Amino acid sequence: MKKLYRLLALSIMLWTVLLPSEASAMLPQVLYEADLRFVDAREATGYYVDMNSAVVSRDTISAKVAIILADENKILLYTMYFNPAKKNYSFDSVQMFSYDEKKPLGFTRLNAGPFNISPGSPIEGIIDYIHRPDKSDLM
C-alpha cells in the first residue's frame, strides 16, 4: 500500500509536464464520456472505475481508474492493468484534472509496476466491481 501512495505522490509531482493546448481542449471529454462508478473511499480520497473502458480478457483486466483527491482538488485518471491470477496491477499512464473545473493539468506516461494487490484494498475492490458491475454503487 505504501508503494501505491508513493506512486500517487509521484504522479502529482509529475503534473508539471503540461499538455499542448490542442490536447488540453479535448481531454475533459474523457471525463464526460466516462461511466465512473464509485468503488471505495479512504479519508479524502475516492476510487472510481470507468466501466466504459473496462476490458476483461483471459488473464488481465484493463480499465481507467479515477482517484479523486478531494483535499487537493484533483482527479487522477489512470490507465491500469490488473492480473487477478497473479494478484498484481500496473499503471500505464495518468491524466490529471482539477476536480472543480475539470480543467486538464497534465499527462504522464508511467509504465509502473507490477505492484501486489493487498487484500481489502481499493484495487481489490475495483477488480471485484468490474467482475460484478450490478453491485450497488452505494456501499
Side-chain angles (χ1 to χ4, degrees), residues 18-119:
L18 296 177
L19 296 169
S21 60
E22 303 84 41
S24 297
M26 295 171 34
L27 255 172
Q29 198 72 21
V30 171
L31 291 176
Y32 298 123
E33 291 177 354
D35 181 15
L36 293 176
R37 306 284 183 92
F38 174 77
V39 175
D40 198 355
R42 306 282 166 103
E43 297 178 20
T45 303
Y47 299 84
Y48 297 77
V49 63
D50 173 13
M51 292 303 290
N52 287 340
S53 70
V55 176
V56 179
S57 67
R58 184 176 179 183
D59 297 325
T60 61
I61 300 169
S62 64
K64 291 188 184 287
V65 173
I67 298 177
I68 297 176
L69 306 170
D71 56 348
E72 297 179 33
N73 191 38
K74 286 196 176 43
I75 299 172
L76 305 174
L77 185 63
Y78 289 95
T79 301
M80 298 181 68
Y81 298 94
F82 308 92
N83 187 324
K86 292 184 179 178
K87 297 185 189 242
N88 65 33
Y89 64 98
S90 58
F91 296 93
D92 179 59
S93 62
V94 61
Q95 297 171 330
M96 291 151 279
F97 303 89
S98 63
Y99 179 73
D100 56 356
E101 297 176 357
K102 309 300 185 273
K103 177 182 172 187
L105 300 175
F107 173 88
T108 302
R109 177 93 33 213
L110 295 174
N111 294 321
F115 302 99
N116 293 327
I117 297 171
S118 300

